[in-house]
Amino acid sequence: MYLLDRDIADCRALLVDGNPTSRSILAAQMREFGVVHVTQCSRPTDARRLLEGKPFDLVLCEQHFHHDDGYSGQDLLDDLRRSQLLPYATVFLMITGEATYARVAEAAESALDGYLLKPYSAQALAERVKQARSRKKALHDVFAAIEADQLEPAARLALQRFRERGAFWLYAARIGAELLLRLGQDAAALKVYEAVLAHKPLPWARLGVARAQADGGQAIAALRSLDALVADEPRYADAIDLRARLQLEQGQLAAALDSCRQASEMTPGSIERVQRQGLIAYYRGQTDEATRALERAATLGISSKMFDPQCLLVLGVLRFRARDRKGLQRCLDNLEHLARGAGAARRLPRMVRVLRTLDLMLQRQIGAVAAAVDALAAERLDEDFDLEAACNLMALLAELAHTEIRLEQAPAWVETLALRFCTSKGATELLAGAAAAQPRSAEAVHRAQSRILELAEQAMTQKMAGDARGAVRALIAHSGQTHNAKLIDVARLTLQRHAAQIPDAEDLAATIDAMRRRHAAAAAFPRLGQAAGRQAGALRLRVGAAAAGAAAPAAVPA
């Protein structure tokens, strides 16, 4: 027996290979190295379920599988990283028979810990595992600080190793820059990524530049950076994901859908990418494409932590549109099952109520439908009633407009939702897309967006005329009437720039802060199939309550 290191006996290994002979040989080799706990599976989807359920210290995964619907080892790794289901301590090694895989593996500096090219010897396997585990140990102080939610100390440790060119300094640079982005220091992160690029044009560093630009409010520059990156690396799915997100936020739904198609075609087994394509196709009005993609997403991942229940809501709406009560009932049953584990959160129960209302409509229970819609609409100004919930209520009202029920208050409800949630072009297009089955409602959404822009412009005209205080007070008043987070933000920025000229600036700031706490979170862009808390291209960071509730961090030197 050859022991890789003194802790190897405590290592829990997962072997993923479709060939039972290769898998048994690999298991025997791992036991020869001193690994006692070895779990085996033949498909990456099975591996995903195992990794969602419990942690492993080492994953050895075949790159290509002849089944599992095209889902590859790389797809598995991408999904786990994207959904924050693979701890830092886990070593993930890919096994491949293709020499060209080295082109995309980025050696040991990518999210992959290493790769093995077939045929390989037991010694080569031992060296790869030992090297990957050594890197984890070398950066243990950084990982430990992150796990303890001490992000600033972790960033300092990582960037110190980067500056001193210590062992694994490029990987330390990636972690340090990631931490800077999480701490809101996008300019410092940009400097780190640019320093890495000066050494070597690594794709993850180029993606990091785009992420830093996006976080710094430079969406157009970020899109230019991403276009250049995708042109050079057309199969870099994370870059395409980020481009889709920015296109969506800019209201470019057609371009975002094209990007989503590109990413999901490259990784057909990725739950997140397929469901994101389906959801955007729905808001874009591509009903057939949305149905196919959402059905596939449900087949792939309804039991997975990566699955977004919004897929069931939208699929249920499409079933209602086709007057398929059995299909709608299946969506409702699955959504009710998920909602039972939702705790006190109202997101899933609201979705259940939307589908239940549509099911009642198919049963011609008009009185029950009217009562259910009234109850949902009564929540439209609640603090936790967010943009996603607004889109779902818009969709419900649009679908019911083509039935025998008459909802006299529906136009007023639509106007209230639109005035509250038309905070950007992207949000406006989502709302209009949700209401597309009733063209008058979609038109009302665009009129509301014009009204919000008009109110902001009037305030800016007042400010330019020398009445900054009047502009801020007008914006606060309009925000109070519409609950629109964009007007609140314009008021905040105007006050920050002209506070010295406004005698009661502190009182106005307190009012604005209170309004932002009530309404800003609800205006956040919906997940649309993406795992919460993670951006495309981001490394996994476990940010807990301690970090989330901390005061604004001091700058970390880059």
Side-chain angles (χ1 to χ4, degrees):
M1 178 179 290
Y2 168 67
L3 295 179
L4 290 179
D5 55 58
R6 64 183 181 182
D7 302 319
I8 198 67
D10 298 324
C11 177
R12 288 161 297 182
L14 174 62
L15 313 181
V16 192
D17 194 321
N19 186 312
T21 302
S22 299
R23 201 167 60 244
S24 63
I25 292 173
L26 191 56
Q29 289 173 327
M30 296 310 297
R31 292 191 177 97
E32 185 65 25
F33 298 155
V35 180
V36 176
H37 308 287
V38 179
T39 302
Q40 304 179 41
C41 64
S42 61
R43 304 191 309 164
T45 49
D46 295 333
R48 182 173 63 204
R49 283 190 286 270
L50 287 167
L51 287 160
E52 287 178 358
K54 62 181 179 180
F56 287 87
D57 303 293
L58 172 63
V59 180
L60 294 171
C61 184
E62 170 63 40
Q63 164 70 357
H64 296 291
F65 292 80
H66 297 296
H67 48 70
D68 224 5
D69 204 14
Y71 195 61
S72 70
Q74 188 66 44
D75 293 336
L76 171 64
L77 174 62
D78 289 344
D79 271 354
L80 294 169
R81 295 289 190 193
R82 190 180 309 109
S83 301
Q84 305 190 40
L85 292 171
L86 200 62
Y88 276 125
T90 300
V91 171
F92 197 110
L93 295 176
M94 199 76 73
I95 300 172
T96 178
E98 295 184 7
T100 55
Y101 185 70
R103 180 176 60 85
V104 295
E106 295 183 24
E109 301 304 340
S110 71
L112 183 64
D113 290 303
Y115 66 94
L116 268 174
L117 184 63
K118 293 180 179 179
Y120 59 86
S121 64
Q123 182 180 357
L125 173 61
E127 288 175 355
R128 288 288 193 278
V129 173
K130 188 173 182 178
Q131 181 188 44
R133 283 173 62 84
S134 295
R135 182 170 73 173
K136 300 292 185 182
K137 291 179 180 179
L139 297 172
H140 174 74
D141 53 350
V142 178
F143 297 148
I146 294 171
E147 296 290 348
D149 290 332
Q150 298 175 0
L151 302 191
E152 289 185 66
R156 291 192 183 96
L157 288 168
L159 295 173
Q160 180 180 354
R161 183 177 291 268
F162 165 57
R163 288 191 297 270
E164 295 174 354
R165 298 299 192 263
F168 307 112
W169 63 274
L170 274 176
Y171 193 71
R174 187 176 190 186
I175 294 172
E178 180 69 37
L179 290 165
L180 291 173
L181 287 177
R182 293 298 179 99
L183 290 166
Q185 299 180 32
D186 47 90
L190 180 60
K191 291 180 181 178
V192 175
Y193 287 124
E194 289 174 340
V196 171
L197 289 173
H199 169 76
K200 188 176 182 180
L202 294 169
W204 62 257
R206 295 179 65 185
L207 179 57
V209 167
R211 291 180 59 219
Q213 290 170 331
D215 287 359
Q218 304 176 54
I220 303 303
L223 282 169
R224 285 198 295 266
S225 298
L226 289 166
D227 286 341
L229 175 54
V230 172
D232 293 339
E233 302 284 344
R235 296 194 62 79
Y236 196 177
D238 264 354
I240 298 170
D241 286 341
L242 180 57
R243 184 174 67 177
R245 192 201 94 196
L246 293 176
Q247 289 167 333
L248 189 62
E249 291 175 357
Q250 294 294 306
Q252 303 170 15
L253 265 64
L257 181 56
D258 285 342
S259 292
C260 287
R261 288 181 187 131
Q262 187 178 354
S264 60
E265 285 170 5
M266 287 190 296
T267 56
S270 170
I271 297 169
E272 286 192 2
R273 289 180 177 130
V274 173
Q275 63 192 12
R276 193 172 177 84
Q277 177 191 356
L279 291 172
I280 295 177
Y282 165 73
Y283 289 113
R284 178 64 182 150
Q286 304 296 319
T287 301
D288 292 342
E289 180 179 355
T291 302
R292 288 193 302 271
L294 294 174
E295 285 175 345
R296 177 167 173 74
T299 300
L300 281 172
I302 197 167
S303 61
S304 170
K305 294 178 183 178
M306 303 175 194
F307 185 70
D308 186 352
Q310 178 72 2
C311 295
L312 290 173
L313 183 286
V314 170
L315 197 53
V317 170
L318 295 173
R319 297 296 190 221
F320 174 84
R321 192 176 296 176
R323 298 301 186 262
D324 175 8
R325 191 180 171 214
K326 288 184 178 179
L328 172 57
Q329 187 63 52
R330 284 194 298 272
C331 293
L332 178 55
D333 290 345
N334 285 319
L335 199 51
E336 286 177 331
H337 174 73
L338 294 176
R340 281 193 285 272
R346 298 170 72 185
R347 180 186 182 229
L348 267 62
R350 275 202 185 105
M351 292 182 184
V352 168
R353 290 161 63 195
V354 170
L355 289 195
R356 195 175 287 150
T357 304
L358 292 175
D359 185 52
L360 289 170
M361 189 66 240
L362 289 182
Q363 299 177 56
R364 297 293 189 269
Q365 297 187 32
I366 305 302
V369 169
V373 177
D374 281 343
L376 281 166
E379 299 173 6
R380 65 192 183 281
L381 295 180
D382 288 0
E383 290 184 27
D384 68 344
F385 195 91
D386 58 13
L387 177 57
E388 180 185 72
C391 287
N392 293 342
L393 180 54
M394 280 282 199
L396 175 62
L397 295 174
E399 297 300 328
L400 293 178
H402 298 286
T403 65
E404 61 267 35
I405 190 170
R406 291 294 173 261
L407 299 170
E408 300 299 332
Q409 292 180 280
W413 292 336
V414 168
E415 183 180 20
T416 300
L417 292 170
L419 287 172
R420 181 180 182 187
F421 291 104
C422 283
T423 56
S424 66
K425 188 175 180 183
T428 300
E429 293 306 317
L430 285 186
L431 284 168
Q438 172 60 309
R440 284 197 299 272
S441 295
E443 291 168 5
V445 170
H446 287 112
R447 285 198 303 273
Q449 182 198 30
S450 298
R451 177 59 179 160
I452 295 299
L453 292 174
E454 180 184 343
L455 292 174
E457 288 171 1
Q458 287 174 359
M460 292 304 97
T461 300
Q462 192 171 359
K463 182 197 73 173
M464 295 298 292
D467 186 10
R469 181 177 181 274
V472 172
R473 288 176 62 84
L475 287 166
I476 289 174
H478 296 319
S479 300
Q481 294 165 0
T482 64
H483 305 278
N484 186 282
K486 176 175 180 173
L487 295 179
I488 298 171
D489 273 341
V490 174
R492 178 179 60 86
L493 293 172
T494 303
L495 182 62
Q496 286 178 349
R497 290 170 185 160
H498 301 278
Q501 307 164 22
I502 301 175
D504 55 347
E506 289 187 9
D507 292 339
L508 293 174
T511 300
I512 289 170
D513 287 343
M515 297 177 75
R516 292 187 74 220
R517 283 194 297 271
R518 286 197 302 272
H519 301 298
F525 219 75
R527 289 167 50 184
L528 288 183
Q530 182 172 302
R534 194 268 185 192
Q535 292 184 4
L539 286 173
R540 178 188 180 279
L541 288 181
R542 184 177 297 159
V543 182
V556 177

